[in-house]
Amino acid sequence: MTTLSPERPAAQRTPALGASRQSHVVADSITMLSRNLLHMVRYPGLSMFTILGPVVILLLTVFVFGGTLGAGLPGVDPAGGREAYLAYVMPGILLITIAGSAGGTATTVSMDMTEGITARFRTMAISRASVLAGHVLGNTIQAMIAVALVLGVGLLIGFRPTATPIEWIAAVGMIALIAFAVTWIAVGMGMQSKSVETASNLPLILMLLPLLGSGFVPTDSLPAGLAWFAQYQPFTPFIEAIRGLLLGTPLGWNPVLAIGWAVVIAVAGYSWSMLIYERKSVR
Amino acid sequence: MTTPAIETHGLRKSYGDKTVLDGIDLSVGAGTVTALLGPNGAGKTTTVHILSTLVRPDGGTALVNGCDVVRDPGGVRAVIGLTGQFSAVDGLLTGEENLLLMARLRHLGAKRSKARVTELLEQFDLVEAARKPLATYSGGMRRRLDLAMTLVATPSVIFLDEPTTGLDPRSRHTMWDIVRSLVAEGTTVLLTTQQLEEADELADRIAVLDGGRIVADGTPDELKRLVPGGHLRLRFADAATLDGASRLLDESARDDAGLALTVPSDGGVGTLRAVLDRLDAAKLEVDDLSIHTPDLDDVFFALTGKKDQNGKKDQPDRVDMKGTEP
């Protein structure tokens, strides 16, 4: 069985790289993206898991805590508290969905590292940007699908956004940008982790941030120190921007702050990942 | 010989204050097989990682196909393939999808990719399993797929890092056959192994690595001549026969308590037959015979004057011929 064909053209033995290497970055990124999407299609269970968490939190907060929490929101009639709280909490839940989905990326990146396939990609002259972009773009798409499904559950239980079509487009764009940025951080976390277990736990920090912002309660109801943190952490403008776009609450500077934070986070995550790629891909 | 496919001079690498490579000089001729033989921690994998551009050396130079691994990693990567100790496959895809992924990343084009993948699946006996998820693959199948992925772009220099570690004997022989057919096509192979037998089977030259240095370098025969471990052990029924045999085979060492003689041997059939013929001619019956071939332990004992750190006991490759009538 192991008779390899003896006739092999000499030219084929040394594929020409050199000048054409740059143009391969895009093609390789697409190949890597399709690999990640194939994983998603092949193992939908992994993706379903990232949707299940936010849905449980949504149902829990709305139907268990919602009546009381809603009554405490400023300017809300205590009788309609639960509905008001559903509207209030939905943007935060969407952010938790994005963070949870990014956690999946950290796990898959870490698996690639420990299984040695990243090392194989490195010996094949595939640019690190392509390898990582495949993960980031794949997860951004996955996060968008997850957000759509969680939003669907919200609509089923009575979430009624007031957005115009243009506001919807802006909201979708904002969610995509946030997912893209947060995923770059998750890629870095996945690479930094020594084991797959660590990699799957580290992004829990990201899932906590909507809770420590304006996701579940107004920030001015928090104690002074926490209120200060909530005011200035990136997830608060993220949440406020989406809330403003979907429900017509005052936007203020929040969209600008959100875009600014997203760019900063994406650049930081990208630089971190690129920096440790070569060092961490050999085990 | 023409220009070597792999050449290193004074290659050094240390992690913290632990020196892993302490000046490696290596030259591998194009189209030949060289085995790096050594125990765990000798620096075999680090050498392969430097040559395959995964790790930067601290000092020294390394050229693969004339390209410097530090200054021109792209040139090196264009001609090499690496199959490491841990399988570098995508466990969530099928075997065929793994190969297609490699073909796409090598930019073979749709038509050539398809043809090459079909060809490799046949050559590596993976046709039946091609569309099954990797979770159903055995260790040997995973290793074959791993190597097939390395060969998608027909590299001219291949690094095999302990290619048969953890494989059962049958898969090991399959892997050896694959390596031999690669060499028959003119591929240069650098493989690492802990087993002298494997190096002996496959390699044109063996470099013995210990503590980050090459302690011996030569053909398998040259190396074996350095190792005095090979011998025959003959056991006799009584002291009289032992006496007779001892007088007959004057190069032997006797063990009166065990009624046995130890005769130096290269492990070959020729010497075995010569010894038995002489005993036969003198009508001396052998009760029990075993052949001890030099193993890695002996090599290390001979070359470095210390036992392999695993503290492996002298375990003979025992060929039991109990009750053989000479």
Side-chain angles (χ1 to χ4, degrees), chain A residues 55-66:
Chain A
V55 168
V56 168
I57 298 170
L58 172 67
L59 299 178
L60 209 63
T61 48
V62 171
F63 291 106
V64 179
F65 312 126

mmCIF file of all heavy atoms in Angstrom, chain A residues 55-66:
data_model
loop_
_atom_site.group_PDB
_atom_site.id
_atom_site.type_symbol
_atom_site.label_atom_id
_atom_site.label_comp_id
_atom_site.label_asym_id
_atom_site.label_seq_id
_atom_site.Cartn_x
_atom_site.Cartn_y
_atom_site.Cartn_z
ATOM 1 N N VAL A 55 -29.861 32.511 27.718
ATOM 2 C CA VAL A 55 -31.319 32.339 27.747
ATOM 3 C C VAL A 55 -31.780 32.036 29.178
ATOM 4 O O VAL A 55 -32.768 32.608 29.661
ATOM 5 C CB VAL A 55 -31.766 31.225 26.765
ATOM 6 C CG1 VAL A 55 -33.214 30.835 27.011
ATOM 7 C CG2 VAL A 55 -31.577 31.687 25.328
ATOM 8 N N VAL A 56 -31.022 31.176 29.859
ATOM 9 C CA VAL A 56 -31.380 30.851 31.251
ATOM 10 C C VAL A 56 -31.309 32.098 32.119
ATOM 11 O O VAL A 56 -32.210 32.383 32.906
ATOM 12 C CB VAL A 56 -30.453 29.735 31.802
ATOM 13 C CG1 VAL A 56 -30.615 29.600 33.308
ATOM 14 C CG2 VAL A 56 -30.751 28.415 31.107
ATOM 15 N N ILE A 57 -30.237 32.883 31.944
ATOM 16 C CA ILE A 57 -30.094 34.115 32.743
ATOM 17 C C ILE A 57 -31.244 35.071 32.433
ATOM 18 O O ILE A 57 -31.822 35.694 33.337
ATOM 19 C CB ILE A 57 -28.731 34.799 32.465
ATOM 20 C CG1 ILE A 57 -27.590 33.869 32.878
ATOM 21 C CG2 ILE A 57 -28.611 36.122 33.223
ATOM 22 C CD1 ILE A 57 -26.217 34.337 32.426
ATOM 23 N N LEU A 58 -31.610 35.156 31.152
ATOM 24 C CA LEU A 58 -32.703 36.043 30.744
ATOM 25 C C LEU A 58 -34.006 35.632 31.441
ATOM 26 O O LEU A 58 -34.682 36.466 32.063
ATOM 27 C CB LEU A 58 -32.874 35.974 29.225
ATOM 28 C CG LEU A 58 -34.104 36.708 28.643
ATOM 29 C CD1 LEU A 58 -33.955 38.214 28.828
ATOM 30 C CD2 LEU A 58 -34.299 36.378 27.169
ATOM 31 N N LEU A 59 -34.343 34.347 31.342
ATOM 32 C CA LEU A 59 -35.608 33.882 31.936
ATOM 33 C C LEU A 59 -35.594 34.057 33.443
ATOM 34 O O LEU A 59 -36.592 34.464 34.054
ATOM 35 C CB LEU A 59 -35.844 32.405 31.557
ATOM 36 C CG LEU A 59 -35.978 32.114 30.053
ATOM 37 C CD1 LEU A 59 -36.154 30.625 29.803
ATOM 38 C CD2 LEU A 59 -37.140 32.903 29.441
ATOM 39 N N LEU A 60 -34.431 33.762 34.029
ATOM 40 C CA LEU A 60 -34.289 33.872 35.478
ATOM 41 C C LEU A 60 -34.495 35.315 35.939
ATOM 42 O O LEU A 60 -35.274 35.595 36.854
ATOM 43 C CB LEU A 60 -32.878 33.393 35.850
ATOM 44 C CG LEU A 60 -32.673 32.783 37.215
ATOM 45 C CD1 LEU A 60 -33.493 31.515 37.356
ATOM 46 C CD2 LEU A 60 -31.186 32.453 37.415
ATOM 47 N N THR A 61 -33.766 36.240 35.299
ATOM 48 C CA THR A 61 -33.841 37.639 35.758
ATOM 49 C C THR A 61 -35.222 38.210 35.508
ATOM 50 O O THR A 61 -35.733 38.962 36.339
ATOM 51 C CB THR A 61 -32.782 38.522 35.053
ATOM 52 O OG1 THR A 61 -32.832 38.257 33.654
ATOM 53 C CG2 THR A 61 -31.388 38.255 35.567
ATOM 54 N N VAL A 62 -35.842 37.856 34.377
ATOM 55 C CA VAL A 62 -37.137 38.456 34.069
ATOM 56 C C VAL A 62 -38.245 37.853 34.928
ATOM 57 O O VAL A 62 -39.015 38.573 35.563
ATOM 58 C CB VAL A 62 -37.471 38.300 32.568
ATOM 59 C CG1 VAL A 62 -38.921 38.723 32.290
ATOM 60 C CG2 VAL A 62 -36.509 39.138 31.737
ATOM 61 N N PHE A 63 -38.310 36.502 34.996
ATOM 62 C CA PHE A 63 -39.459 35.896 35.659
ATOM 63 C C PHE A 63 -39.278 35.705 37.169
ATOM 64 O O PHE A 63 -40.242 35.638 37.899
ATOM 65 C CB PHE A 63 -39.821 34.565 34.990
ATOM 66 C CG PHE A 63 -40.379 34.775 33.610
ATOM 67 C CD1 PHE A 63 -39.634 34.477 32.484
ATOM 68 C CD2 PHE A 63 -41.657 35.313 33.448
ATOM 69 C CE1 PHE A 63 -40.162 34.697 31.214
ATOM 70 C CE2 PHE A 63 -42.179 35.543 32.177
ATOM 71 C CZ PHE A 63 -41.427 35.227 31.054
ATOM 72 N N VAL A 64 -38.030 35.622 37.632
ATOM 73 C CA VAL A 64 -37.819 35.465 39.071
ATOM 74 C C VAL A 64 -37.605 36.827 39.747
ATOM 75 O O VAL A 64 -38.313 37.189 40.678
ATOM 76 C CB VAL A 64 -36.647 34.519 39.378
ATOM 77 C CG1 VAL A 64 -36.424 34.399 40.877
ATOM 78 C CG2 VAL A 64 -36.891 33.138 38.758
ATOM 79 N N PHE A 65 -36.617 37.592 39.215
ATOM 80 C CA PHE A 65 -36.287 38.873 39.866
ATOM 81 C C PHE A 65 -37.013 40.061 39.237
ATOM 82 O O PHE A 65 -37.081 41.136 39.813
ATOM 83 C CB PHE A 65 -34.772 39.141 39.786
ATOM 84 C CG PHE A 65 -33.923 37.979 40.199
ATOM 85 C CD1 PHE A 65 -32.934 37.489 39.360
ATOM 86 C CD2 PHE A 65 -34.104 37.384 41.441
ATOM 87 C CE1 PHE A 65 -32.147 36.415 39.746
ATOM 88 C CE2 PHE A 65 -33.313 36.317 41.827
ATOM 89 C CZ PHE A 65 -32.331 35.828 40.974
ATOM 90 N N GLY A 66 -37.513 39.867 38.014
ATOM 91 C CA GLY A 66 -38.004 40.979 37.193
ATOM 92 C C GLY A 66 -39.060 41.858 37.835
ATOM 93 O O GLY A 66 -39.007 43.085 37.697
#
